[in-house]
Amino acid sequence: MRMTKYLAATSLLAIMIAGANPASAAEADDQNVSLEEVIVTAQKRSENLQDTPIAISVMSAAAVEDRHVYSLVDLGDGAIPSLKVAPFFSRPGALIMNIRGIGVLSDSNQPARDQGVGVYVDGVYMGRPQGLGVAMYDVESIEVLKGPQGTLFGRNTEGGAVSIITRKPKGEFGLMAKGGVGNYGSYTGELHVDLPKFSGVSIKVDGILTSRDGWVSNPRPQAEDFGGVAKRAMRIRTLWEPTSHLTFDYAYDNAYDATTTLYQQFLERYPGSFAPSAGNTFSTKRIDTATLGVAQLESIGITSGHRLTADWEISEGLRFKSISSYRDLKQDQWDNGSASQSAGAFLIPPATTFLNRDYGRFSLALFTQDQLSQEFQLIGETERLKWVAGALYYREHVTDNARAFATDTFTDATGVAGVSRAIDYLAQRIDRASEVTTKSMGVFGQATYTPPIFDDALHVTIGGRWTKDEKNGRMLTVNGVNFPAGSQGQVIGGLLSPPPMSSSWDRFDPIVNFAYDVSDDLMVYARYSTGYKSGGANSRSLRYQPFDPETVAMTEVGAKVEFLDRRGRLNIAAYDGKYEDIQLDFFAQYVQTDPVTGALLQTQRTTSETINAPGTGKLQGVEVDFTFAVTEELTLSAGYAYNKVDIPATVNPFRQANGQFITVPVPIYQVYTPETSGSVALDYERPFGEMSLVAHIDANYSDGYYANYTDVAYDPVTRAVTIKQPKGDSSFIVNARISLADIDVGGGNATVSIWSRNLFDDQHVFVKFLDPRFGTAGFFNEPRTFGIELSVKM
């Protein structure tokens, strides 16, 4: 089946190539066919991508539209190899992101944990993985900087940085309105309005909404389906230019992001496991209706923020820039997507019947954050020296609480029929709650010097950043027991009050880069850089166990070349790095039993510990980006990544075998990291009468990857694997869009588009788990979606 999809995608690509005007191909040189210049801001100034000695992939505004990307979640199909985006477990309201397999945060719901990939919107750092799934505003480009960016971007960019740049006000009237409908009850709407400049002030207003019903139906009446999305967002942006050398750019945004959890499908039963209820059937194919209906609500995230950017051109070649920001978010997560794997859905002794047995595990997590940041930059340039210096202050306060409880009850002995329990969800016991305040300060500088040798072909870059992080936090509640401030060391409610965290770290991250212009069209470079992810404490731990920062040091060599009079562009990078003190999460179920009968109670929670892996891990890989103007009408682009991560063996604090704890290190897998991934796309545009015909198709391949660090079970003496951890499936996703553009509507033009994501309805389990008590379960990718859109520009 997968081969059939390969052949179908290849055929579509071939048809697009064959459909290009033969005369254009034969006379391409005469028509001066060439690629457009790509401008990036990776080094805090606008530069040509080909002159920037960093591995960068860029997604343009057109590519964002062609792939029907409305949020970062939509980049999970592999559009940018080396960048992996996935939901935290079943929850799209918090994202896992890594670049080159670095920076994985397998548990995104901890206030004292940080990401290893920095996400920036118009220069402002987004401090939490919650809120990253909101709709994006009128994107101009998305830059993915690969490898450590510790000097110019600072803390928590050990894997790289994702920089989202949005369009500024133009100062003249403009309007773009878009609306569309699709399958699964989906609809989208956009409105972008530019107002004429008045007294030096330009204003732009953006509004976006997108909605789609769930793609796994929930049999429970009046409960939400699984996989639904409803996003809406607005932003107002003003640009004041009191003089030709000074600008003030202010933006306010507010976003609402409602999602329902993904459905964890029961794939197959493990030999000798507990018997599932009769209604809890399993299948290795994506199902349309959940096998067990359960109570389910929307998870709602609300984010808002202010940003003020001042840009002052002090003199020719010298600029001062200030970026001030305040943001806050609230995120609740109602997750009952794992009902098929809840303990109550299996017959666990001493139970002998499913009648009146509770099932479903509703995990409710409430999360709040506010952040304040201030960055200053001084950017200078002379004939031979380009430099930037700056300082950053960042503060955030985060709180969370979580509870887990059974929501439904079987009403028959075999476990087919059930009803939702009449309980007050918010009145259920809080299993854990914590708060933390983080402060970070840093100063940085970087300079590129072109010495008067080798015909000015050599460019030497040296830089560094000093950072100081402080974190102060404490557990407020553990297993329903509240701990007052200052109670550490006391026994309250039968539990020892965990100690608070008061930690700080100093860090210096250098960069050294040598770039050489072999010719006007070919640059080669060698780069050494470092980065780190700050330490913290694990709020799922019953002890609020602290952990140290993790670090990356990487050497990268690369080449950037344009050829055939800039018809073709090829960028290659290879890297080798050291990965130290890697933060690993190990999970276990904290399960309560009846003190008299020993029977399993349905109140249970996940507990975990974060361990810094001993020794040094290894990072190796190769990345390729290729673009070629086949004709004036047809452009081919492709990307490829090989990312290999080796992590030292580590002791799992929860792992047991034959009733014994394994105290020797066990092998560790890197999670959420395909070893091989690639993407290819064709873009075609030609006149069609007085209009234009525009077509796009892209195909994206990825290896399967692990979702758990360790295998399921080991021999306690030999460490031999007795139950192996399953790997997720490989994927092949094709997206397509065809448009009739430049339709005259009197004073403007319109575009009608038909689009599809996952055109061939590829099915793969991207996250897979094995619990020998129950069986194998996992999350399938989204099914094929399609729709039609109409947009008008004036």
Side-chain angles (χ1 to χ4, degrees), residues 11 27 152 169 216 278 280 293 302 440 443 464 486 502 566 577 588 596 663 677 681 697 768 788:
S11 299
E27 302 169 7
L152 292 184
V216 177
N280 194 17
I302 298 175
S440 180
V443 293
S502 180
R566 224 173 77 185
V596 178
T663 58
S677 57
I697 183 171
K768 192 178 292 187
I788 183 170

Side-chain angles (χ1 to χ4, degrees), residues 671-688:
V671 296
Y672 291 94
T673 302
E675 192 166 291
T676 301
S677 57
S679 178
V680 61
L682 278 177
D683 291 280
Y684 177 63
E685 182 174 358
R686 66 174 300 175
F688 189 79

Side-chain angles (χ1 to χ4, degrees), residues 487-708:
S487 65
Q488 62 270 19
Q490 301 177 26
V491 176
I492 301 176
L495 294 177
L496 183 66
S497 178
M501 173 185 60
S502 180
S503 302
S504 64
W505 305 273
D506 292 292
R507 171 77 182 177
F508 180 75
D509 286 298
I511 179 177
V512 179
N513 197 323
F514 294 92
Y516 187 80
D517 299 323
V518 179
S519 67
D520 291 340
D521 298 319
L522 172 61
M523 177 189 70
V524 295
Y525 68 90
R527 170 186 174 91
Y528 174 81
S529 61
T530 67
Y532 88 110
K533 180 167 67 177
S534 65
N538 189 325
S539 60
R540 290 187 190 272
S541 168
L542 301 179
R543 302 173 295 165
Y544 203 43
Q545 182 72 22
F547 51 85
D548 293 327
E550 69 177 36
T551 63
V552 171
M554 184 172 289
T555 300
E556 176 183 313
V557 295
K560 298 191 173 188
V561 60
E562 292 182 328
F563 52 92
L564 296 179
D565 293 327
R566 224 173 77 185
R567 284 184 62 190
R569 180 179 296 139
L570 177 64
N571 296 340
I572 302 175
Y575 64 87
D576 182 85
K578 295 181 179 180
Y579 201 4
E580 297 183 311
D581 298 317
I582 306 168
Q583 298 168 6
L584 303 177
D585 291 328
F586 295 98
F587 295 88
Q589 287 292 318
Y590 174 84
V591 181
Q592 288 187 320
T593 57
D594 187 293
V596 178
T597 66
L600 176 71
L601 299 178
Q602 291 309 299
T603 301
Q604 56 179 306
R605 54 162 292 198
T606 300
T607 185
S608 71
E609 298 288 356
T610 302
I611 306 296
N612 291 99
T616 300
K618 295 181 180 180
L619 303 163
Q620 293 180 320
V622 176
E623 296 157 336
V624 180
D625 284 316
F626 175 75
T627 310
F628 186 71
V630 181
T631 71
E632 189 175 27
E633 301 165 341
L634 184 67
T635 301
L636 167 69
S637 57
Y640 168 81
Y642 170 79
N643 302 124
K644 178 68 173 175
V645 182
D646 291 320
I647 300 176
T650 306
V651 174
N652 182 341
F654 297 115
R655 183 63 65 212
Q656 298 184 50
N658 300 328
Q660 303 177 44
F661 280 99
I662 299 177
T663 58
V664 293
V666 296
I668 301 294
Y669 299 117
Q670 178 63 336
V671 296
Y672 291 94
T673 302
E675 192 166 291
T676 301
S677 57
S679 178
V680 61
L682 278 177
D683 291 280
Y684 177 63
E685 182 174 358
R686 66 174 300 175
F688 189 79
E690 297 297 319
M691 299 170 288
S692 300
L693 178 65
V694 183
H696 167 89
I697 183 171
D698 61 80
N700 312 279
Y701 172 79
S702 171
D703 282 344
Y705 51 81
Y706 292 101
N708 280 338

Side-chain angles (χ1 to χ4, degrees), residues 65 108 118 236 262 323 325 487 612 657 674 782:
E65 182 177 51
S108 297
I236 182 168
L262 305 182
I323 305 174
S325 175
S487 65
N612 291 99
E782 293 184 358

Side-chain angles (χ1 to χ4, degrees), residues 64-70 176-182 186-190 209-210 736-741 743 750-757 786-792:
V64 168
E65 182 177 51
D66 287 338
R67 291 174 177 265
H68 204 69
V69 173
Y70 271 87
M176 194 283 278
K178 179 190 291 187
V181 294
S186 69
Y187 59 87
T188 58
E190 290 186 50
L209 64 88
T210 178
R737 184 183 187 93
I738 186 167
S739 305
L740 192 60
I743 304 170
T751 300
V752 178
S753 305
I754 299 173
W755 61 270
S756 177
R757 286 179 61 85
F786 54 85
I788 183 170
E789 289 181 344
L790 170 66
S791 64
V792 177

